[in-house]
Amino acid sequence: MDTKFSVAVHILILISESPTSINSEQMAESVGTNASYIRKILALLKKATIVDGHRGISGYSLIVAPEQLTLLQVYQAVTEEHKLHLLDIHQNPNDRCIVGHHIKPVLTDMFVDIEEGFARSLAGKTLADCIAVIRKRM
């Protein structure tokens, strides 16, 4: 499973809540990964106009306020297709079998409903919501 989404949320919270400018090495230490991976995630977030950072200047800043930044926007920024796709159907069901013949359309419809529900859930949560939960847990 890909962890880009959770890493992106992690570093966005760090950027938002740090009292001083924070660089990719500091973020990597918090995330528990290497700075080059963090920079790859930051590049995706920058391309999606969620963060800003300049070459030669240490640190990043949020372009979108945490209250306005939905988790769906973050998810779409760091996924390759920019479209929510969680579930796949196996390739070669046997068409001569009654189940094999019908499984693709049955699962396709169900999977679309599930993915649409997941997207609605992500759209209903913001970075500020994540920050609030962290503050509550402290």
Side-chain angles (χ1 to χ4, degrees):
M1 175 150 290
D2 194 335
T3 61
K4 284 187 282 225
F5 174 61
S6 66
V7 170
V9 172
H10 188 138
I11 63 179
L12 288 168
I13 293 170
L14 287 171
I15 293 168
S16 172
E17 298 304 294
S18 179
T20 60
S21 186
I22 185 168
N23 63 37
S24 59
E25 287 80 18
Q26 294 164 313
M27 291 179 211
E29 185 176 325
S30 177
V31 172
T33 191
N34 61 62
S36 65
Y37 183 67
I38 296 297
R39 286 189 292 274
K40 287 177 185 174
I41 302 294
L42 286 165
L44 294 169
L45 294 169
K46 187 173 179 179
K47 183 177 178 184
T49 63
I50 293 173
V51 300
D52 193 19
H54 301 285
R55 182 166 279 186
I57 299 174
S58 182
Y60 292 84
S61 59
L62 285 178
I63 295 173
V64 182
E67 300 78 18
Q68 301 300 315
L69 182 57
T70 70
L71 296 184
L72 181 59
Q73 289 171 287
V74 177
Y75 182 90
Q76 289 172 330
V78 298
T79 55
E80 312 237 342
E81 298 174 7
H82 300 287
K83 181 178 182 262
L84 194 69
H85 182 79
L86 303 172
L87 306 166
D88 284 318
I89 300 170
H90 53 290
Q91 293 293 319
N92 301 307
N94 184 342
D95 231 15
R96 293 183 305 253
C97 169
I98 190 76
V99 175
H101 183 73
H102 295 282
I103 196 68
K104 279 188 176 186
V106 168
L107 290 180
T108 297
D109 291 346
M110 287 182 185
F111 290 179
V112 166
D113 288 345
I114 291 165
E115 289 170 344
E116 287 173 353
F118 183 66
R120 281 191 304 276
S121 182
L122 287 177
K125 305 246 186 280
T126 66
L127 187 66
D129 294 330
C130 296
I131 294 167
V133 172
I134 287 176
R135 287 182 177 158
K136 187 176 179 181
R137 294 179 59 90
M138 290 172 42

